[in-house]
Amino acid sequence: MFAVLGAAAMMITACAPGSTAGAETSPGSTTTANDWFDQAQFDLENSQRTATFAGDPSTPYLQYLDGPMVDATAFKKNAPAKVCFSNAALSNTWRQTGWITMNEQLKELQKQGVISQMETRNAQDSDNTQVADIDYFVNQQSCDAFIIAPNSPQATAPAVERACNTGKPVIIFDRGAGTDCATTFIHSVGGMAWGIDSATFVTENVKPGGHVVALRTAPGVDVFEQRWAAAQHIFSEAGLKYTDYITGADPTKIKAVVADELAKGTVDAVWVDLGDQSVPAIEAFEDTGKDIPVVTGEDNLSYLRAWKNKGFKGFASVYDAYQWRTALLAAASLFRGESIPKDWVLPQVPVTSEDLDKVLKTNEGMPDSHYAAFGGEDLPGFPQVWQKRVIP
């Protein structure tokens, strides 16, 4: 097992630019500039959090914000078409939930005769592997559309541009691609909005001068960096002290970090950038005999159940897992010659204490690794496929 100091030292060396990992930052400090913070993007996503979305609220995976549409005339197919999917990874439970939903949607589109097959390559969190995967698809010249969930934007951008140069539709979802050549970019409102939601909850429940431990997953990944940039900005504005760590979402590291911070002094809140980090943090308080403070999370069932059962102050940000389904539906629409949004922004509605009981009831019987905003309730495999959680 990691020694506490060893884990902390390792995390400090892994910090992203502008991070304060492993060192407490005082209110009003001028040493916390974050290169990922963009005021204009912060303001945009802050307004989009409460915007009105077009489409039927009962099918949120098809909703969108009004904006430029893609002319699909050139992409229309008169026979079932092949999709090639380059996936960054299946290395966390959010991605696994989305992947299950995506495959159930694929079955329906195959039955409808819209998509013939989806050839998939998994990059296993490697930029180099994903670049090779995309180039493989481009060179084989049998793809009617590319779906790409990028591992990291800048590293994969040249390969994405080579896919764009084929003239076939390129559908990006989840993380950005580092280029604007794609036919459409599908995403929830964004990382800034995610960070605004959860950090605002913390500031509403922790007095100025309070201490927040921030658990971060990985440096350089836009959705994670933007979540932290927004939260860091809000904590600073509210006069909170904070200490942030890169954990890789490793439970052992998370427990070591929290235990170390508790040994140093008071922890008034734990903020996370990924739901998988919350429960290990909660367990660290229990292991040391401390009361559980404010702990934010995500819509994964393990966190939501811990929140309900243990009664701490919680808040679940949401980054919709159903966007994996939206990506396939976007390809299907293009093959039918139907226009889709160029920037396809999906609603991003957090789970609050008022919603918790309803969300848990709706997802009764689902495993702890399941995410509530999975978007598969109207697919034929529901609920058994998600309950069994067999990863295709």
Side-chain angles (χ1 to χ4, degrees):
M1 179 179 289
F2 269 86
V4 171
L5 291 176
M10 179 178 179
M11 291 167 201
I12 291 171
T13 63
C15 295
S19 172
T20 57
E24 184 177 293
T25 302
S26 300
S29 170
T30 59
T31 63
T32 59
N34 189 325
D35 292 340
W36 285 88
F37 183 77
D38 182 310
Q39 186 68 55
Q41 187 66 26
F42 181 95
D43 293 340
L44 174 65
E45 293 186 24
N46 194 25
S47 66
Q48 289 179 339
R49 290 186 308 135
T50 55
T52 300
F53 286 76
D56 186 348
S58 69
T59 54
Y61 49 84
L62 290 175
Q63 287 190 283
Y64 59 93
L65 287 177
D66 286 334
M69 303 292 283
V70 174
D71 183 352
T73 304
F75 304 130
K76 186 175 182 179
K77 298 290 181 183
N78 296 317
K82 177 182 177 180
V83 171
C84 296
F85 176 33
S86 170
N87 182 22
L90 291 173
S91 55
N92 62 55
T93 56
W94 180 86
R95 304 192 73 82
Q96 292 160 12
T97 300
W99 175 235
I100 294 169
T101 301
M102 188 183 209
N103 277 273
E104 290 305 297
Q105 179 62 74
L106 174 63
K107 292 175 186 177
E108 293 308 296
L109 293 171
Q110 288 175 317
K111 289 177 184 177
Q112 296 167 18
V114 180
I115 292 177
S116 58
Q117 63 171 307
M118 182 173 71
E119 183 177 351
T120 302
R121 296 178 78 89
N122 179 5
Q124 299 181 342
D125 295 301
S126 167
D127 290 333
N128 291 336
T129 300
Q130 183 159 52
V131 168
D133 289 345
I134 296 170
D135 284 339
Y136 167 82
F137 285 141
V138 169
N139 293 332
Q140 76 170 1
Q141 299 181 354
S142 68
C143 306
D144 294 306
F146 301 92
I147 296 178
I148 301 171
N151 189 55
S152 58
Q154 301 308 319
T156 54
V160 172
E161 289 175 348
R162 289 191 286 275
C164 291
N165 290 339
T166 66
K168 305 294 177 61
V170 175
I171 297 163
I172 303 295
F173 79 96
D174 178 20
R175 304 165 183 168
T179 175
D180 60 1
C181 74
T183 309
T184 184
F185 175 30
I186 297 165
H187 57 99
S188 295
V189 173
M192 291 279 185
W194 199 103
I196 292 168
D197 282 336
S198 53
T200 299
F201 177 80
V202 171
T203 63
E204 290 171 347
N205 288 277
V206 177
K207 295 178 180 179
H211 179 212
V212 181
V213 172
L215 303 176
R216 301 168 54 202
T217 303
V221 177
D222 59 351
V223 292
F224 293 138
E225 292 284 11
Q226 290 163 0
R227 290 173 185 182
W228 171 235
Q232 183 183 32
H233 176 75
I234 288 171
F235 294 154
S236 296
E237 291 289 307
L240 299 183
K241 297 178 290 185
Y242 53 83
T243 314
D244 68 294
Y245 290 88
I246 302 290
T247 69
D250 183 310
T252 301
K253 294 179 184 178
I254 292 166
K255 286 187 174 185
V257 163
V258 174
D260 187 36
E261 288 298 325
L262 286 170
K264 294 176 184 177
T266 301
V267 175
D268 298 298
V270 175
W271 178 92
V272 305
D273 70 358
L274 180 70
D276 286 352
Q277 303 205 80
S278 302
V279 171
I282 293 165
E283 291 172 349
F285 284 91
E286 294 177 319
D287 291 346
T288 54
K290 303 288 187 180
D291 291 338
I292 302 169
V294 174
V295 180
T296 67
E298 212 166 357
D299 59 314
N300 51 315
L301 269 287
S302 60
Y303 170 73
L304 297 180
R305 287 168 177 154
W307 176 11
K308 173 66 176 179
N309 294 336
K310 299 177 187 299
F312 58 86
K313 291 183 179 180
F315 181 94
S317 291
V318 171
Y319 194 62
D320 309 307
Y322 57 64
Q323 63 187 275
W324 292 65
R325 179 180 187 180
T326 308
L328 262 184
L329 290 169
S333 292
L334 294 173
F335 294 152
R336 294 185 181 112
E338 300 167 353
S339 296
I340 61 172
K342 173 70 175 175
D343 182 26
W344 194 328
V345 183
L346 296 162
Q348 185 171 311
V349 183
V351 180
T352 67
S353 57
E354 289 77 16
D355 312 314
L356 182 59
D357 287 344
K358 179 180 178 181
V359 171
L360 286 173
K361 183 173 179 59
T362 300
N363 290 275
E364 192 172 0
M366 293 295 180
D368 280 349
S369 51
H370 180 73
Y371 275 69
F374 71 107
E377 294 92 338
D378 59 348
L379 288 168
F382 177 80
Q384 291 84 3
V385 170
W386 289 268
Q387 288 174 339
K388 294 178 180 177
R389 203 168 179 83
V390 176
I391 309 299

